[in-house]
Amino acid sequence: MNSLWVSVSAISTILFSSVATSNVLPTVQKESQWFINDEQAIQQKVKQKNKHKAKNVILFVGDGMGVSTLTAARILQGQNNGKSGEEGYLSFEVFPHTAQVKTYNVDAQTPDSAGTMTAMMSGIKTDIGVLGVSEKVQRGDCSSVKGNEVITALELAEIKGLSTGIVSTARITHATPAAAYAKSADRNWEDISDMSDEAIANACEDIASQLVNFEGNLEARFPGVDVNGIEVAMGGGRRHFLPKDESFNSTDAASGVEGDRTDGRDLTAEWQAKYPTGQYVIDQAGFDALDASQTSHVLGLFNESHMQYEVDRHNDIAGEPSLTQLTSKAIDVLDNNDKGFMLVVESGRIDHGHHAGSAFNALTDTIEFSKAIQAAVDNTNPEETLILVTADHSHVFTIAGYPKRGNPILGKVVGVGESEPSLASDGMPYTTLGYTNGRGFRDLATETNADKSYDTDPVVGRQDLTLIDTNQPGFHQEAKIPTSSETHAGEDVALHAIGPGAHFSQGVIEQSVIFHIINESLGLMAK
Amino acid sequence: MNINQYLALLFCWLFMLNAKADDANSCQLEQQHVFAQYDINDVTKQGNKTLQQLNLYRLDNQVIHQYEHNNIGLWWTKTSHNRLMLNRFFDHEKRVIEYQADEITGSFDWHTKYQLINEEFLTKMKLVKSTGEACNTEQVLTYQSAETTYQLVWLPNLKLIKSLKVSQAEQIISQWSLVKYSLASDKAKEKFTQLLDYKSTDYADIGDNENDTFYRR
């Protein structure tokens, strides 16, 4: 009797409150498109059913993709499509679950990619500059590594029998991708020529070598375990895999001597010997020729250093695939395994665009990153694939002033109701986007490579932008403090999630929680 | 002159011609491995004088420009894809920063790096006289623009400036003098070999190495 009364009471309360609400709301409010859209968004959340267990996990990391980068990229994307921009979403911003992520390293308030990605991949925070090892390791001291190596989600996935993949537009030995597979007291030990005498004497292994020897190293660490190696590794960084000998130059070589290795090893040949059915590719043609359904392993090294910025890809010597193409191909190879897969995808050059002080390059690479994530959504089953999208850290990148709605995000501030740029108290116009520090102002016109700014000295402080088209690709925003490169920032970043286990992404979390979300969804430590 | 005498003369003439060509070819090879040192005297509009010493190193498709007083040197490479790649090196710290190769094939002025003077400008200059042979060939060249007079002594087979005087209103504003040079130079080879041992960093990675005191400057 009581329960029936409660039910009737509850229904009447809901009906009454609903009627009361709709009666209370003025027409101007309830018929507003904002109100209608947002109410629908809430209704969708009410209907959400959360599943805990995923078959596949894809972790997308936008290197340096802080919240201001998301906002500005979203606006630029919309404006490139002829809209105001503010009202739109990047592909992953419509994911149902989000969290706010604290990025600091154990010893650093503002972090770097090595410490942050180690946190995401291993579940523990560590020091700045070290990879796949705990905070007990002294950076640069090889002898401190032994016994402090951690195991990563990618390694656990491999042990569980899943297929594994790593994709990056940076060098594949760079901090973010390397934290998935390598243990190193220094993120810069990308090949043996980068290592100290102490590190070599104590038999620390360089990062490129660890990638090629991943299978054997993992089996050696866990006797009895039989794994079949990382199925997909694609990015830049060929220099760390080739001997310092011109005769090993590839057809894509930009330098006189492409390889950096001083031990004479050709790791691409070693990789091919380990995986005779695998495909080693270095350019767009080789990439396009890959038959994903028939490919067991892929090593793609598309540049001797980092891959090109997305808008600069057409300038590559031998041609490079886009991040969207890389992501789609990786999924096509990895999903050959019925047990599932784990894939890590990094957009590494968002970070580099910011470091160079170029909002244009950082934002256009963010938009490409968004497309890659959409490709992953389109090519996977939402019932069985957890997709996580986050950043490792932020940048000192701001959206400032009071520009009117739809004002070009790369342009000068034009106030609400105005048609001419607002002037600062120094009588000069200013841009909406800016950096706190870095190399500062550049007017490189149509140049689409942000890094062209590095061979001239910093120009900081106010500049007269009156006659400068700040919407051009080669414009670099003003900065206040001169530094050799624009720096990371210490504020939190966002985590967006969709798929089984996505609902674990909520609240304000330590970055190391991301490992536990992956672990919980894939059941990596179930056995 | 009988036929034998005629043939002997012809042979001698051909031999001399060939020897000259060999000398020139030898210069062409030797000038690819060069160390050259220049004194550069500049005078500002205010009349202040400065003296700088520039070292030029050449090794095949690589060139270094380094001022004596400066710790920083510029190291250029013409790559196999005919692109220009710049590295900056820092002798005190034994470090190199590598920049990305220019993206547009052949769009750079290699001659200005290699021989310190633009090839197109050289062809515009008027030849006043030519003396010497093979490696010792010297050309005196001049060029007069609306405001500036250029007087160049050029070593065409070595692709080296011997001297350059730039004047405006009869005042010398810049004077270059070749102090010394060596062909097929071990010094050039040593310099490039030395640079290969320096610790190198990609320009794009400077931002990720802020704890490195070298990059903070």
Side-chain angles (χ1 to χ4, degrees), chain A residues 450-513:
Chain A
D451 302 327
K452 286 292 175 198
S453 64
Y454 277 101
D455 55 9
T456 49
D457 290 334
V459 180
V460 291
R462 289 286 284 142
Q463 307 293 317
D464 188 353
L465 306 177
T466 307
L467 300 176
I468 292 173
D469 181 359
T470 64
N471 291 289
Q472 291 223 79
F475 177 76
H476 289 221
Q477 284 69 21
E478 292 166 291
K480 173 71 177 167
I481 301 165
T483 50
S484 55
S485 175
E486 182 266 0
T487 73
H488 298 172
E491 80 262 15
D492 300 343
V493 297
L495 169 65
H496 298 83
I498 190 169
H503 57 288
F504 301 133
S505 304
Q506 52 182 281
V508 181
I509 59 172
E510 296 289 0
Q511 204 157 30
S512 41
V513 169

Side-chain angles (χ1 to χ4, degrees), chain A residues 285-306:
Chain A
F287 176 85
D288 291 343
L290 287 172
D291 179 354
S293 65
Q294 299 298 315
T295 302
S296 66
H297 293 77
V298 186
L299 176 63
L301 300 174
F302 300 103
N303 199 301
E304 67 180 58
S305 186
H306 303 296

Side-chain angles (χ1 to χ4, degrees), chain A residues 300-487:
Chain A
L301 300 174
F302 300 103
N303 199 301
E304 67 180 58
S305 186
H306 303 296
M307 291 178 69
Q308 310 286 352
Y309 289 105
E310 171 58 21
V311 289
D312 212 34
R313 269 197 309 124
H314 63 280
N315 282 319
D316 190 64
I317 295 168
E320 291 181 353
S322 67
L323 187 61
T324 303
Q325 291 172 321
L326 290 168
T327 302
S328 297
K329 187 79 81 176
I331 292 168
D332 288 347
V333 173
L334 296 173
D335 67 9
N336 294 335
N337 184 348
D338 291 338
K339 290 182 181 173
F341 65 83
M342 177 168 179
L343 172 63
V344 176
V345 180
E346 184 210 21
S347 176
R349 308 229 62 198
I350 298 169
D351 184 57
H352 296 153
H354 280 320
H355 277 311
S358 165
F360 176 84
N361 278 100
L363 300 183
T364 46
D365 264 45
T366 304
I367 292 169
E368 173 59 21
F369 184 53
S370 172
K371 289 178 184 168
I373 294 158
Q374 186 59 51
V377 170
D378 294 342
N379 288 301
T380 54
N381 181 347
E383 294 294 313
E384 57 185 28
T385 304
L386 169 63
I387 298 178
L388 300 166
V389 182
T390 189
D392 46 358
H393 55 75
S394 181
H395 272 268
V396 292
F397 176 60
T398 57
I399 303 173
Y402 296 101
K404 63 184 176 182
R405 177 79 188 274
N407 196 53
I409 190 66
L410 293 166
K412 298 165 201 163
V413 170
V414 178
V416 176
E418 302 292 329
S419 58
E420 292 298 317
S422 307
L423 301 181
S425 54
D426 58 11
M428 295 190 286
Y430 56 100
T431 53
T432 305
L433 303 178
Y435 292 97
T436 305
N437 59 34
R439 303 183 76 81
F441 167 78
R442 298 284 190 275
D443 182 20
L444 305 177
T446 56
E447 174 63 61
T448 49
N449 179 3
D451 302 327
K452 286 292 175 198
S453 64
Y454 277 101
D455 55 9
T456 49
D457 290 334
V459 180
V460 291
R462 289 286 284 142
Q463 307 293 317
D464 188 353
L465 306 177
T466 307
L467 300 176
I468 292 173
D469 181 359
T470 64
N471 291 289
Q472 291 223 79
F475 177 76
H476 289 221
Q477 284 69 21
E478 292 166 291
K480 173 71 177 167
I481 301 165
T483 50
S484 55
S485 175
E486 182 266 0
T487 73

